[in-house]
Amino acid sequence: MNGFEKRAALIKSKIMKTTMELLKTWEIKKLRIADIAKAAGVSQVTIYNYFGSKEALISESFKDFVEESLLEFEEEMRQQKTLKERITYFIFKDKETYSTLDPALVKEIMFDDQAMYQYIQQQYDDRVTPLMVQMVEEGKASGEISQKVSVEAVLVMIQMYIKSSGEMLDSVAKHADKGNFLDELFHIFFYGLCGWGPEE
């Protein structure tokens, strides 16, 4: 990549990150190229030259956001951590995403745009699922997950837990003893209502 290409890549990255920042507080329909250009410190012409339209800019910005999230996920999976540490991380990252981006906005971008939905699904199938399967298999090998349950069943439970993480962490935030209450919720997930922890 030569100097011109590097500068172009930096400008595009700045515009996309600015767009995602603005989407934390703006509705897509009300956000204008002029607003993005002003916040990013570039001209509207520059944005049109790089992206062609507001719709294309938002799509590319969201893909960039997804790619960064996937790279962070892949890096996390390379770390030597317990199953509990990893799932705790996933839950808090999910909450972090929805505390900065309105779920309705994410839904609008991901599901109302068929091409974006297919892109996200492909990334999940190609990059996330194999690592999740590996995590569960390692958990079974280490004794953190019972041999009585299949990889498929564990993956379904993890996905259900992560999807409800926003509501769960909102409840934790309202609790008088947040740390202990969160430990109780994790205990139920890992050992069941009638189960016992490894230390017991």
Side-chain angles (χ1 to χ4, degrees):
M1 187 181 291
N2 59 38
F4 175 79
E5 291 171 332
K6 287 180 181 178
R7 286 193 297 275
L10 286 172
I11 293 171
K12 285 188 68 175
S13 178
K14 181 180 181 181
I15 293 169
M16 290 189 291
K17 285 176 172 46
T18 299
T19 301
M20 292 306 296
E21 279 297 314
L22 291 175
L23 285 173
K24 293 177 181 179
T25 55
W26 285 69
E27 293 180 24
I28 289 180
K29 291 178 181 178
K30 294 182 179 179
L31 182 61
R32 304 172 304 162
I33 289 290
D35 303 312
I36 299 169
K38 182 179 179 180
V42 300
S43 70
Q44 294 183 54
V45 173
T46 297
I47 292 178
Y48 281 114
N49 284 341
Y50 282 129
F51 300 98
S53 67
K54 186 182 84 169
E55 292 72 25
L57 168 57
I58 290 174
S59 178
E60 288 302 309
S61 299
F62 195 74
K63 284 182 179 179
D64 183 65
F65 171 77
V66 169
E67 178 62 23
E68 285 193 358
S69 299
L70 286 171
L71 289 173
E72 187 175 338
F73 170 77
E74 289 167 342
E75 177 59 31
E76 176 69 17
M77 292 298 289
R78 283 193 284 269
Q79 307 300 316
Q80 294 298 315
K81 294 187 176 181
T82 65
L83 179 72
K84 185 174 183 179
E85 288 172 332
R86 285 176 171 169
I87 293 179
T88 301
Y89 164 81
F90 299 151
I91 288 170
F92 276 96
K93 286 302 295 182
D94 193 63
K95 172 64 175 179
E96 183 181 273
T97 296
Y98 286 112
S99 66
T100 55
L101 291 176
D102 189 329
L105 170 70
V106 176
K107 178 181 178 296
E108 182 178 350
I109 295 174
M110 284 181 61
F111 298 105
D112 293 352
D113 182 340
Q114 190 61 33
M116 178 62 74
Y117 177 79
Q118 290 175 351
Y119 167 79
I120 298 291
Q121 190 62 52
Q122 192 67 53
Q123 294 299 309
Y124 185 85
D125 291 343
D126 293 347
R127 298 169 67 176
V128 176
T129 300
L131 290 173
M132 293 289 278
V133 170
Q134 176 187 326
M135 179 185 74
V136 174
E137 289 175 341
E138 289 174 354
K140 294 184 74 169
S142 67
E144 293 177 276
I145 298 176
S146 171
Q147 295 297 326
K148 296 179 180 179
V149 295
S150 67
V151 170
E152 182 182 14
V154 177
L155 290 178
V156 169
M157 287 299 298
I158 291 173
Q159 287 304 313
M160 288 173 60
Y161 210 59
I162 291 173
K163 284 180 180 178
S164 64
S165 62
E167 292 85 351
M168 182 188 75
L169 293 175
D170 282 342
S171 297
V172 170
K174 298 172 185 176
H175 203 276
D177 188 348
K178 297 178 179 62
N180 188 59
F181 187 56
L182 187 59
D183 284 343
E184 288 179 25
L185 294 173
F186 283 143
H187 184 96
I188 292 171
F189 176 80
F190 287 103
Y191 311 119
L193 288 173
C194 304
W196 300 96
E199 74 283 359
E200 299 171 276

